[in-house]
């Protein structure tokens, strides 16, 4: 959950460099401390690094100097050294290394971190340095990490930089979480999400969504957690944020284990692991191995579980030392050993985990470990110790609102009293268990209702903003239309005056050219009449080839236009414009299908209506990918000419497209029926109906302002018919028009 911003890759040489510089700082501190004792001066020494960057003042801790072995102890962890090096050497920010050393060693003499010389750097540099320090110390000393994050946030708020504020809120939330204050962590994560969206920073937005989803899952609202993590995954995949995608996959896997709509508990972890390995994300690999260990442990596959836990622990100890992440792994290994009845081994791992969590001050992990130790003690019939551990776990979890552990601890106490034969106490704690369980469900429902209400208000406000923007856009467009119309009017007036002056000369030239063209045509026609029957047959064959080529080229030209519209749609971001382009493509394709059928058949004047409609509907289904909607064609096998086929195809294209887009909301399934029947009295009836939600009650086809309905009315009039609409278990459009099968 820790947000990483701009850390450079680590190399062995740079790691050794950081270690050497810290040893140099340690020796230098000892020399200065000895000199200060001899001179009996109270001033605080200032170190100067060989790069020329001054480190902050290093002061006494509780009246004693900061001893070099403390720094050597801190550097004994390769991960801590890597953190210090990547922050200090990679960013080269003044005083950052000294800040980290200072707060890893203890508090300053004044107790105020803001009084240090590094705070005199430019505000943004200082805030970033504080955030880097908060990130380094988060899992080691969360309380100090929280101090760094809060001070950096104060500076970020004074700069009114939403991106910087979002990053600071994320770090503060992580520090709260490590300290066990889950409610405070959720508040900070939500604030980070708000500022990240304000800054339009996809990386910070995805990280905040993922973090909120994780926190929400801890309090049992798995459905909402799944939505948050899924949103984070979509952003990470779209923008190529591979590390964030790994974190999102892992959180989705955790949530899916408790979410009713899960696809596969294991699938998300199996997606996360290869991606983490591909990008060299050691932290992500360790997280995924831990979750796979949890999965196999829950399935009783203890050997597989231990393999994944061991891999995760090796990776963790390679990059960090005595952190809450290692404490979690030790707890998980202890649980597997407990299930395998290895009591001594489980107790050893629990003890190590408890020591780390007490050192880091993580009440989350302390409560979890005490709960697990209580279960182990009860299993070995050590009831006094089991009761002590369970009550400690319950009191800590209730203090930090860790509802799940509080619930499990209460149930454990009830079981202990039951096994001891104290049924009255067991009954009392069973009632408390049920009360906590009910309150947990009620709290989740209350939070979810509040969340949905906030989301609804936000979406409504966003819609109002969009409507206002559209209104402004319409006003601007109307203004442009007026300006263009005025310009065109002036241009037409001047052009008309010019044309009046040269009208006589142009008309004479046109008449002469027309007479010459007519004379040439008469000569050509006279020559053709004198040709033999064989020449006439050859000419007829050439015309047929030419007509086929014309239809073929018309179809190709229409396809080119459709392709140009498709290329244009790729660079258009406006949904309304995209819809217009797509509808234009559908109309062009419906006409192109006619010419394609004409040049493919022996009859160049008419096409088979049923086959044409089937091809047209198949194209529309593929275009809109509405495979959930079935389309039934009920058409007589009758040929139609070009003048009837084109408007008929456009009408069917418009009405079927309308059904795909509006008849079946929320991806519902349904049926669209296209029926064309001819009668003996020279009439033909076209009917397009669906079993969807139907037309609005106030819908009147003649008063509709949409282009599609208006186009259908015009095409119906062109066929000599009239559009009739009604609701008949869904929308129904009927057009009856005169039709002569001999034409």
């Amino acid at each position: 959950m820790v947000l990483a911003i701009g850390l450079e890759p680590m190399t062995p040489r740079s790691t050794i460099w950081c270690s050497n510089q810290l040893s140099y700082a340690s020796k230098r501190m000892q020399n200065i401390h000895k000199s200060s004792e001899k001179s009996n001066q109270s001033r605080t020494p200032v170190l100067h690094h060989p790069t020329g960057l001054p480190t902050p003042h290093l002061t006494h801790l509780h009246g004693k100097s900061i001893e070099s072995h403390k720094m050597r102890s801190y550097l004994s962890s390769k991960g801590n050294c890597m953190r210090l090096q990547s922050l200090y050497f990679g960013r080269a920010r003044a005083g950052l290394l000294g800040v980290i050393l200072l707060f890893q060693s203890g508090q300053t003499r004044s107790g105020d971190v803001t009084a240090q010389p590094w705070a005199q750097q430019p505000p943004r540099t200082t805030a970033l340095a504080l955030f880097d320090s908060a990130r380094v110390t988060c899992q080691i000393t969360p309380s100090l990490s929280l101090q760094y994050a809060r001070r950096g946030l104060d500076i970020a708020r004074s700069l009114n930089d939403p991106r910087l504020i979002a990053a600071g809120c994320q770090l503060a939330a992580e520090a709260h979480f490590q300290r066990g204050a889950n409610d405070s962590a959720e508040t900070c994560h939500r604030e980070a999400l708000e500022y990240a969206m304000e800054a339009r920073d996809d990386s910070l937005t995805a990280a905040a969504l993922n973090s909120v989803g994780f926190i929400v899952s801890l309090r049992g609202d798995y459905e909402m957690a799944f939505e948050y993590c899924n949103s984070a995954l979509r952003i990470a995949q779209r923008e190529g944020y591979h590390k964030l995608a790994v974190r999102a996959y892992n959180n989705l896997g955790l949530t899916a284990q408790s979410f009713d709509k899960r696809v596969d508990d294991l699938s998300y972890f199996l997606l996360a692991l290869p991606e983490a390995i591909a990008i060299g994300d050691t932290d992500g690999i360790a997280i995924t191995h831990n979750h796979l260990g949890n999965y196999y442990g829950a399935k009783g596959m203890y050997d597989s579980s231990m393999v994944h836990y061991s891999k995760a622990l090796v990776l963790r100890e390679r990059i960090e030392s005595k952190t809450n992440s290692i404490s979690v792994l030790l707890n998980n290994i202890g649980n597997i050993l407990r299930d395998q009845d290895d009591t001594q081994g489980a107790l050893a791992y629990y003890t190590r985990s408890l020591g780390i969590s007490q050192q880091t001050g993580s009440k989350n992990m302390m409560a979890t470990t005490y709960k697990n130790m209580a279960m182990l003690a009860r299993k070995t019939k050590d009831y006094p110790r089991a009761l002590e551990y369970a009550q400690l776990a319950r009191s800590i979890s209730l203090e930090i609102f860790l509802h799940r552990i509080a619930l499990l601890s209460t149930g454990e106490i009830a079981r202990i009293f039951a096994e001891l034969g104290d049924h009255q106490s067991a009954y009392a704690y069973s009632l408390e268990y049920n009360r906590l369980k009910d309150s947990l469900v009620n709290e989740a429902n209350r939070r979810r209702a509040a969340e949905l209400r906030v989301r609804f208000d936000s979406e409504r406000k966003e819609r109002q903003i969009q409507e206002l923007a559209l209104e402004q856009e319409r006003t601007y467009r109307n203004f442009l239309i007026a300006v263009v119309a005025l310009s065109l009017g002036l241009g037409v007036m001047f052009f008309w005056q010019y044309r009046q002056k040269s009208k006589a000369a142009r008309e004479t030239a046109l008449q002469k050219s027309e007479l010459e063209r007519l004379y040439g045509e008469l000569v050509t026609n006279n020559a053709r009449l004198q040709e033999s029957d064989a020449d006439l047959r050859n000419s007829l064959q050439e015309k047929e080839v030419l007509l086929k080529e014309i239809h073929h080229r018309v179809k190709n030209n229409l396809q080119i236009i459709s392709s140009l519209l498709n290329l244009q749609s790729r660079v258009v971001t406006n949904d309304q414009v995209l819809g217009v382009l797509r509808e234009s493509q559908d109309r062009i394709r419906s006409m192109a299908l006619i010419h394609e059928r004409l040049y493919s058949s022996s009859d160049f004047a008419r096409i088979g209506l049923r086959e044409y409609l089937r091809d047209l509907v198949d194209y529309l289904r593929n275009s809109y990918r509405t495979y959930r909607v079935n389309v039934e064609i009920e058409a007589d096998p009758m040929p139609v000419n070009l003048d009837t086929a084109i408007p008929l195809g456009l009408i069917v294209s418009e009405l079927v497209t309308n059904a795909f887009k509006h008849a079946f909301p929320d991806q519902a399934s349904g049926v669209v029926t296209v029926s064309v029947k001819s009668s003996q009295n020279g009439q033909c009836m076209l009917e397009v109906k669906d079993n969807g939600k139907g037309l609005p009650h106030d819908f009147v086809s003649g008063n509709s302002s949409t282009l599609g309905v208006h186009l259908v009315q015009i095409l119906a009039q062109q066929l000599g018919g009239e559009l009739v609409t009604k609701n008949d278990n869904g929308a129904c459009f009927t057009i009856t028009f005169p039709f002569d099968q001999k034409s």
Side-chain angles (χ1 to χ4, degrees):
M1 290 172 60
V2 177
L3 182 64
I5 303 176
L7 297 184
E8 290 76 10
M10 191 70 182
T11 64
R13 179 176 297 179
S14 56
T15 303
I16 295 171
W17 177 90
C18 182
S19 178
N20 290 340
Q21 299 313 316
L22 288 172
S23 295
Y24 164 80
S26 174
K27 293 177 181 178
R28 180 67 174 147
M29 280 174 53
Q30 290 179 341
N31 293 335
I32 293 175
H33 180 63
K34 291 177 181 179
S35 300
S36 65
E37 286 180 346
K38 290 180 181 180
S39 61
N40 196 22
Q41 294 180 350
S42 60
R43 64 181 181 85
T44 305
V46 179
L47 301 183
H48 291 275
H49 191 271
T51 60
L53 295 174
T55 64
H57 293 259
L58 298 173
T59 65
H60 298 279
L61 173 63
H62 303 301
K64 300 179 182 179
S65 63
I66 303 175
E67 301 172 2
S68 61
H69 76 272
K70 291 185 178 178
M71 284 181 287
R72 285 199 299 272
S73 174
Y74 181 71
L75 280 173
S76 64
S77 165
K78 182 179 178 181
N80 296 339
C81 182
M82 290 170 65
R83 283 195 179 95
L84 293 177
Q85 185 274 339
S86 63
L87 293 172
Y88 181 62
F89 182 71
R91 293 188 182 274
R93 292 195 180 118
L96 180 56
L97 181 60
V99 172
I100 297 171
L101 285 176
L102 172 63
F103 277 87
Q104 287 301 317
S105 303
Q107 300 296 330
T108 64
R109 188 177 295 171
S110 64
D112 183 9
V113 299
T114 63
Q116 303 307 317
W118 53 267
Q120 299 173 8
Q121 298 295 329
R124 183 177 178 81
T125 302
T126 302
L128 290 172
L130 286 163
F131 290 161
D132 289 337
S133 302
R135 187 176 301 106
V136 170
T137 57
C138 184
Q139 291 206 23
I140 305 165
T141 50
S143 58
L144 293 179
S145 176
L146 186 58
Q147 290 185 38
Y148 286 126
R150 283 174 172 171
R151 178 54 185 156
L153 268 174
D154 290 340
I155 298 174
R157 294 184 198 280
S158 67
L159 295 173
N160 196 24
D161 185 340
R163 185 178 184 277
L164 205 58
I165 296 172
C169 288
Q170 281 286 81
L171 291 168
E174 177 65 17
H176 278 303
F177 175 75
Q178 296 296 339
R179 294 175 69 244
N182 290 358
D183 285 354
S184 299
E186 181 177 353
T187 300
C188 289
H189 279 313
R190 290 187 183 278
E191 187 177 3
L193 177 60
E194 180 181 347
Y195 280 105
M197 294 177 68
E198 179 183 344
R200 299 183 183 277
D201 189 308
D202 290 331
S203 175
L204 285 173
T205 301
L209 283 168
N210 196 40
S211 299
V212 172
F214 177 77
I215 290 292
V216 168
S217 70
L218 292 181
R219 57 176 167 81
D221 193 350
Y222 300 109
E223 185 175 356
M224 188 63 69
F226 196 89
E227 291 181 12
Y228 277 115
C229 295
N230 209 24
S231 299
L233 179 61
R234 285 197 297 269
I235 295 174
Q237 290 176 331
R238 184 187 69 212
E239 302 297 332
Y241 301 139
H242 300 293
K243 284 191 177 182
L244 287 175
V246 171
R247 303 306 186 275
Y249 276 132
N250 274 286
N251 286 344
L252 283 169
L254 289 174
T255 307
Q257 293 176 358
S258 303
F259 185 30
D260 291 338
K261 298 180 181 179
R262 61 185 181 272
V263 178
D264 184 359
D265 294 347
L266 191 59
S267 61
Y268 291 108
F269 301 138
L270 295 180
L271 288 170
L273 187 58
E275 185 156 358
I277 294 173
I279 62 176
D281 182 8
T282 306
D283 188 55
I285 298 171
I287 291 172
T288 309
H289 276 304
N290 178 47
H291 292 159
L292 287 170
N294 292 339
Y295 176 84
Y296 288 120
K299 298 290 183 182
M301 303 167 65
Y302 299 124
D303 291 340
S304 299
S305 179
M306 286 297 290
V307 168
H308 285 288
Y309 283 147
S310 299
K311 289 181 179 180
L313 186 59
V314 169
L315 290 171
R316 281 290 177 203
E317 290 179 337
R318 186 184 302 168
I319 62 174
E320 58 196 20
S321 173
K322 296 183 178 180
T323 63
N324 289 329
S325 298
I326 294 178
S327 179
V328 170
L329 283 168
L330 294 173
N331 247 301
N332 291 340
I333 295 174
N335 291 340
I336 295 298
L337 295 175
R338 184 191 69 207
D339 292 340
Q340 292 179 316
D341 296 326
D342 185 354
T343 306
Q344 296 301 322
L347 182 60
Y349 277 101
Y350 287 151
T351 304
R352 286 180 59 192
S353 175
L354 183 61
I356 293 175
S357 59
Q358 287 175 338
Q359 182 176 342
T360 61
S362 174
K363 294 185 178 181
N364 261 341
M365 287 310 304
M366 281 190 278
T368 302
T369 307
Y370 278 130
K371 183 265 297 180
N372 291 334
M373 293 175 75
M375 294 174 68
L376 179 65
R378 181 175 61 84
K379 190 172 185 179
T380 59
K381 308 300 183 182
D382 188 356
Y383 295 117
R385 187 160 295 178
L387 189 59
E388 177 187 355
Y389 291 149
Q391 287 175 342
L392 282 171
R394 184 173 184 273
S395 62
I396 294 174
S397 56
L398 288 175
E399 177 187 348
I400 63 174
F401 303 104
L402 192 60
H403 304 295
R404 186 178 65 86
I405 301 299
L407 185 67
L408 295 175
S409 302
T410 304
E412 190 65 23
I413 294 173
R415 283 188 286 273
I416 292 169
F417 277 123
E419 292 182 16
L420 286 172
D422 188 352
H423 299 294
Q424 184 176 359
S425 299
Y427 177 72
Y429 276 99
S430 297
L431 292 178
E432 178 65 13
Y433 175 86
N434 292 329
R435 187 191 65 80
L436 285 174
K437 186 176 181 180
D438 292 340
S439 65
L440 185 60
V441 173
N442 293 335
E443 177 66 13
N445 291 336
R446 185 190 64 79
R447 287 176 178 264
R448 178 164 177 79
E451 179 87 16
L452 292 174
R453 184 167 57 253
V454 170
R455 182 180 296 183
F456 173 76
D457 293 339
S458 176
E459 290 177 353
R460 182 175 60 182
K461 184 177 180 181
E462 186 173 348
R463 284 197 301 270
Q464 291 174 348
I465 294 174
Q466 290 176 352
E467 291 173 358
L468 181 60
L470 288 174
E471 183 64 28
Q472 293 176 345
E473 183 180 352
R474 282 194 293 269
T475 302
Y476 180 69
R477 184 174 64 247
N478 293 338
F479 174 74
L480 287 180
I481 291 173
V483 172
V484 170
L486 180 60
S487 301
L488 287 175
L490 293 174
V492 168
M493 183 181 66
F494 291 132
F495 183 68
W496 180 81
Q497 291 178 352
Y498 168 76
R499 288 194 62 182
Q500 287 297 105
K501 295 179 180 179
S502 57
K503 183 177 181 180
R506 285 188 292 104
E507 288 181 351
T508 301
L510 287 174
Q511 290 174 357
K512 182 179 178 181
S513 175
E514 183 68 16
L515 289 173
E516 290 176 352
R517 185 183 66 79
L518 291 174
Y519 176 75
E521 289 181 356
L522 288 174
V523 172
T524 302
N525 291 334
N526 186 52
R528 288 178 178 175
L529 289 174
Q530 296 175 359
E531 293 179 355
S532 63
D533 293 339
D535 291 334
L536 288 174
R537 286 193 294 270
N538 290 336
S539 176
L540 179 60
Q541 185 177 3
E542 289 176 359
K543 287 181 180 180
E544 290 177 351
V545 172
L546 180 61
L547 186 58
K548 179 180 285 191
E549 181 65 17
I550 289 172
H551 284 302
H552 184 62
R553 293 194 179 188
V554 169
K555 178 257 180 184
N556 286 345
N557 289 338
L558 290 172
Q559 185 62 42
I560 289 172
I561 295 172
S562 178
S563 299
L564 290 174
L565 291 174
N566 186 42
L567 290 173
Q568 183 65 37
S569 67
R570 294 181 182 178
V571 298
V572 172
T573 59
N574 188 296
D575 292 341
Q576 185 176 1
V577 176
L578 281 172
V580 172
L581 292 177
R582 188 172 185 179
E583 291 173 359
S584 300
Q585 284 183 275
D586 295 341
R587 294 161 185 157
I588 291 171
R589 179 59 181 168
S590 68
M591 293 186 287
L593 281 173
I594 294 174
H595 291 281
E596 181 178 355
R597 284 206 158 270
L598 285 173
Y599 81 74
S600 300
S601 66
S602 58
D603 189 349
F604 299 115
R606 298 183 298 177
I607 64 171
L609 181 61
R610 182 165 58 188
E611 292 76 14
Y612 165 64
L613 291 178
R614 184 177 292 110
D615 290 347
L616 176 60
V617 168
D618 288 342
Y619 163 75
L620 292 174
R621 286 189 70 194
N622 292 330
S623 175
Y624 286 89
R625 299 181 180 178
T626 53
Y627 304 112
R628 67 189 186 281
V629 179
N630 292 327
V631 182
E632 297 178 355
I633 304 297
E634 299 175 0
D636 294 335
M638 54 185 180
V640 294
N641 58 29
L642 198 62
D643 293 336
T644 303
I646 289 178
L648 199 61
L650 287 172
I651 290 171
V652 172
S653 175
E654 290 295 326
L655 295 179
V656 172
T657 299
N658 180 71
F660 286 165
K661 290 168 61 178
H662 304 294
F664 309 103
D666 299 327
Q667 299 186 350
S669 60
V671 178
V672 177
T673 304
V674 179
S675 173
V676 182
K677 303 292 183 180
S678 60
S679 61
Q680 297 296 331
N681 59 357
Q683 295 290 317
C684 183
M685 183 180 74
L686 167 65
E687 183 180 81
V688 178
K689 63 183 297 184
D690 59 75
N691 62 349
K693 66 178 185 179
L695 296 170
H697 296 296
D698 57 348
F699 177 83
V700 179
S701 60
N703 297 333
S704 176
S705 60
T706 61
L707 176 60
V709 175
H710 187 58
L711 180 60
V712 170
Q713 290 174 336
I714 293 175
L715 293 171
Q717 293 174 1
Q718 182 177 334
L719 289 172
E722 182 178 0
L723 173 64
V724 178
T725 62
K726 64 180 180 179
N727 277 320
D728 183 13
N729 193 23
C732 180
F733 298 83
T734 305
I735 299 175
T736 303
F737 57 93
F739 175 71
D740 185 4
Q741 295 189 11
K742 298 180 181 180
S743 61

